[in-house]
């Protein structure tokens, strides 16, 4: 038409940023270890049940029910008790009712069906499954407490708090070993245990990655770091559970032994 109104120029859409590492999150395993929905409760059960295996084996058989139950609570939520106290917050077993329910359920199974512990110790399939759930939940605890400490502790020398969040994350991943307090430093008397070492390395790597230029340009960096941390915990846990380590005596003898000259 002669007097047709000119159409407005089409607005150019901004280019969509491509994510070359999208595959890290677009799979079932990654979505599971990020604990969506009810997966969290499943991992809580595995976490508390495996703690129960350790508690019931370490305590004398004639110990009272109340002693065993309180010991299991402290073992399962030790890090979630100590770190919130440091940060002036509410301990995890008081703030989240899901943990007491999971602990009660696992304790009842251990107390009334002790045969389940034998199944867990004899079957590698059950053992690996429990370790997977246990380490996935422990990784989530380390991540949450490290992030909470990073937001609460103010920066001092550096542009972000460095050692405070790392220590809080490390304690969150192994704090139950130090409770009750009468244990003192006996759990690390002979060196850092595997849970303590992995929690320290995991919290340090996670915190430094997110707060330095290492994560610059990385899309969904917190989620991707969480997935890698969880898989690291699971890998170490499975290796320890199945005994896939070289014995020190065998390794030393193999290093010393030399072929005889003809």
């Amino acid at each position: 038409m002669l007097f047709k109104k000119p159409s407005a120029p089409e607005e150019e859409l901004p280019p969509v940023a491509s994510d070359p590492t999208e595959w890290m999150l677009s799979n079932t395993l990654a979505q599971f270890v990020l604990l969506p929905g009810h997966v969290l409760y499943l991992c809580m059960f595995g976490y508390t049940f495996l703690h129960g295996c350790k508690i019931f084996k370490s305590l004398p058989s004639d110990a009272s029910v109340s002693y065993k139950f309180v010991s299991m609570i402290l073992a399962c939520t030790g890090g979630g008790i100590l770190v919130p106290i440091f940060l002036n917050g509410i301990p995890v077993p008081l703030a989240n009712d899901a943990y007491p329910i999971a602990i009660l359920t696992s304790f009842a199974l251990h107390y009334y069906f002790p045969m389940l512990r034998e199944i867990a110790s004899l079957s590698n399939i059950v053992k690996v499954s429990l370790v997977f759930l246990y380490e996935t939940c422990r990784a989530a605890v380390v991540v949450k407490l490290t992030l909470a400490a990073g937001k609460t502790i103010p920066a001092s020398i550096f542009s972000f708090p460095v050692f405070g969040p790392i220590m809080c994350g490390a304690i969150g991943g192994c704090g139950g070993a130090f409770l009750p307090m009468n244990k003192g430093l006996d759990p690390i008397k002979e060196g850092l245990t595997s849970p303590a070492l992995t929690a320290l390395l995991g919290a340090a790597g996670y915190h430094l990655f997110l707060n330095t230029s290492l994560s610059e340009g990385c899309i969904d960096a917190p989620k991707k770091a969480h997935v890698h941390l969880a898989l690291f915990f699971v890998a170490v846990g499975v290796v320890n559970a199945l005994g896939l380590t070289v014995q020190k005596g065998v390794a030393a003898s193999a290093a010393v032994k030399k072929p005889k000259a003809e």
Side-chain angles (χ1 to χ4, degrees), residues 74-84 92 141 145 168 171-176 179:
L74 295 177
C76 293
T77 61
I81 293 174
L82 294 175
V83 175
V92 172
V141 172
L145 294 181
C168 288
I171 294 173
C174 65
L179 294 181

Side-chain angles (χ1 to χ4, degrees), residues 114-124 126-127:
M115 183 179 64
L116 295 177
R117 288 195 299 277
E118 299 298 328
I119 297 175
S121 62
L122 295 177
S123 173
N124 286 337
V126 176
K127 188 184 299 183

Side-chain angles (χ1 to χ4, degrees), residues 4-244:
K4 182 179 179 182
K5 185 178 179 181
S7 59
E10 296 182 358
E11 296 182 359
E12 294 184 0
L13 298 176
V16 179
S18 61
D19 185 7
T21 58
E22 184 183 2
W23 59 270
M24 294 182 182
L25 299 179
S26 59
N27 58 81
T28 305
L29 179 60
Q31 295 301 319
F32 187 94
V33 299
L34 289 175
L35 303 183
H38 299 294
V39 176
L40 173 62
Y41 304 114
L42 176 63
C43 291
M44 278 186 182
F45 172 75
Y47 181 81
T48 55
F49 187 86
L50 193 56
H51 265 302
C53 293
K54 300 175 183 178
I55 291 297
F56 275 80
K57 288 181 180 180
S58 62
L59 295 179
S61 58
D62 58 347
S64 64
V65 177
S66 58
Y67 184 78
K68 292 179 180 178
F69 183 65
V70 174
S71 297
M72 187 167 173
I73 293 176
L74 295 177
C76 293
T77 61
I81 293 174
L82 294 175
V83 175
I85 292 176
F86 297 158
L87 302 178
N88 196 23
I90 302 175
V92 172
L94 302 181
N96 190 348
D97 290 335
Y99 268 108
I101 293 174
I103 293 172
L104 281 169
T105 304
S106 298
F107 182 83
L109 291 176
H110 281 290
Y111 186 76
Y112 292 107
F113 305 99
M115 183 179 64
L116 295 177
R117 288 195 299 277
E118 299 298 328
I119 297 175
S121 62
L122 295 177
S123 173
N124 286 337
I125 297 177
V126 176
K127 188 184 299 183
V128 170
S129 301
L130 288 174
V131 167
F132 181 82
L133 298 177
Y134 174 90
E135 296 296 349
T136 301
C137 185
R138 192 167 72 96
V141 172
V142 172
V143 166
K144 290 181 180 179
L145 294 181
T146 303
L147 290 175
K151 295 178 181 179
T152 304
I153 300 174
S156 55
I157 298 177
F158 304 100
S159 60
F160 63 95
V162 177
F163 294 103
I166 292 175
M167 296 307 298
C168 288
I171 294 173
C174 65
F178 299 94
L179 294 181
M181 291 295 188
N182 60 357
K183 292 182 179 180
L185 297 178
D186 288 344
I188 58 174
K189 188 176 181 179
E190 298 181 358
L192 289 177
T193 59
S194 179
L197 184 59
T198 53
L200 178 60
L201 294 176
Y206 183 84
H207 181 63
L208 295 177
F209 174 75
L210 293 183
N211 290 278
T212 61
S213 59
L214 294 173
S215 60
E216 185 177 353
C218 181
I219 301 175
D220 291 329
K223 290 184 178 180
K224 292 175 181 176
H226 185 171
V227 170
H228 283 78
L229 177 62
L231 295 180
F232 167 63
F233 279 13
V234 169
V236 176
V238 170
V239 168
N240 292 331
L242 299 181
L244 303 177

